[in-house]
Amino acid sequence: MRDFSLDHSALALNTATLGHNLDGYGAGWPPERVIDACAARGFGGIVFWRREIGNRAVHIGERVRASSMEVVGLCRTPYLVGSERPEQLIDEVKSSIDMSAELGAQVLTIVSGGTEPGTKGILDTQKIFAERVRAAAEYAALRDVKLAIEPLNPMFGGNRTCVMTVRDALRVCHWADAANVGVAVDVYHVWWDTTLAKSLEEAGGTRILGYHLCDWLETTRHMLLDRGMMGDGVADLKTIRAAVENAGYEGACEVEVFSAENWWKRDPNEVLDVLVERFRSVC
């Protein structure tokens, strides 16, 4: 397992950690200020949300690389299932892929969406999801973009997701049958899964396209907006990372902390400093 105690170049910021994924939260730093602050602290990369980028994808991507970092990823496609009007998704999915390509982002994240109207359980929805992932992957391949399916904690089942474990995500990858489709492993969503190591072993390094860090607070107060900073919760971070890396993953470790009542209210400089310290000491 990689030793981060003296080297945090694998650390990447997901800008949601500064509240940039929802209106009305965070300090409102523009991408350029975030880039400069991360570069000054030796971060290796940044993951943006589409809402921050607008029509400046090329400029922002170039700014990141000029600062000796990488655009590790982009969040995210629209939900691909759970909508009664899926035909309206096509243009938005393509637009998100185009934005990834213009940024030079390594990976575009997919959160599936909830249960497809008219279905029961999750398998039928997963099959429909896989068909739509396959179609998106064909276009993404033309733009040299990889797609990472992110399983969500089961508490989001039927609402935001039909993919609740790494094993679910691998099943969809198998059905989609596209070389540029894989899995994003987020601690918040998988920390509880006692079959995780086995599933990751089956996935292999080529299917693992992202690793997302935060922590699970034992007394979490909000299912979406109360994630913990690494070390403040009960997730076994080192064991999870060992399983991810033993499966062959050697990429960035992306910190993504949704925290409306705590970290989003703090000075971003403090948040970034804490990220570096926690990454080197507890991750």
Side-chain angles (χ1 to χ4, degrees):
M1 193 165 79
R2 290 175 290 179
D3 181 3
F4 295 146
S5 62
L6 298 175
D7 177 12
H8 62 275
S9 59
L11 173 61
L13 173 75
N14 184 304
T15 59
T17 306
L18 304 181
H20 288 195
N21 55 317
L22 293 174
D23 288 330
Y25 292 100
W29 280 11
E32 289 83 358
R33 187 171 181 183
V34 176
I35 292 166
D36 291 348
C38 288
R41 291 167 171 82
F43 280 64
I46 303 182
V47 176
F48 294 101
W49 286 69
R50 285 192 293 145
R51 64 195 306 276
E52 302 172 85
I53 302 302
N55 61 0
R56 301 192 303 142
V58 173
H59 163 74
I60 292 171
E62 290 176 347
R63 176 72 172 258
V64 171
R65 287 181 287 278
S67 301
S68 300
M69 296 184 294
E70 297 294 331
V71 183
V72 172
L74 178 67
C75 292
R76 57 175 171 73
T77 65
Y79 296 143
L80 298 190
V81 289
S83 170
E84 296 182 354
R85 298 184 298 275
E87 65 280 356
Q88 296 182 1
L89 297 174
I90 297 173
D91 288 344
E92 189 177 353
V93 171
K94 287 185 175 180
S95 177
S96 64
I97 292 169
D98 289 339
M99 182 179 287
S100 295
E102 291 164 8
L103 271 171
Q106 299 173 17
V107 175
L108 173 63
T109 301
I110 299 177
V111 173
S112 68
T115 307
E116 186 71 3
T119 68
K120 300 289 186 180
I122 62 170
L123 284 178
D124 286 346
T125 296
Q126 286 181 357
K127 290 175 183 176
I128 296 167
F129 177 49
E131 292 171 0
R132 294 175 185 170
V133 168
R134 183 189 300 114
E138 291 177 0
Y139 184 74
L142 299 175
R143 301 304 315 267
D144 197 26
V145 171
K146 295 180 180 179
L147 305 177
I149 299 168
E150 183 174 2
L152 300 191
N153 191 295
M155 64 185 173
F156 294 111
N159 177 11
R160 294 173 178 267
T161 192
C162 66
V163 177
M164 290 168 274
T165 63
V166 167
R167 193 173 298 277
D168 283 339
L170 291 174
R171 182 185 302 117
V172 173
C173 288
H174 175 72
W175 286 339
D177 191 25
N180 60 331
V181 175
V183 179
V185 181
D186 188 318
V187 165
Y188 189 73
H189 298 301
V190 305
W191 74 274
W192 57 272
D193 185 358
T194 57
T195 70
L196 178 63
K198 180 63 174 176
S199 296
L200 291 170
E201 182 182 349
E202 294 171 2
T206 60
R207 282 293 191 193
I208 304 172
L209 300 181
Y211 177 54
H212 304 174
L213 276 168
C214 61
D215 212 332
W216 177 272
L217 299 176
E218 188 175 12
T219 56
T220 186
R221 295 166 294 176
H222 191 285
M223 62 191 293
L224 180 63
L225 301 180
D226 192 30
R227 299 188 183 190
M229 183 63 68
M230 298 88 71
D232 288 346
V234 296
D236 189 346
L237 298 177
K238 288 188 181 292
T239 296
I240 294 172
R241 182 163 69 87
V244 170
E245 294 189 358
N246 287 343
Y249 182 75
E250 298 178 344
C253 299
E254 168 190 337
V255 176
E256 184 181 40
V257 179
F258 294 12
S259 180
E261 297 302 319
N262 187 355
W263 296 97
W264 290 358
K265 291 185 174 182
R266 303 194 190 198
D267 182 337
N269 288 296
E270 176 193 357
V271 177
L272 295 175
D273 288 340
V274 170
L275 291 189
V276 173
E277 188 278 323
R278 297 290 182 87
F279 184 72
R280 296 178 73 157
S281 62
V282 302
C283 294

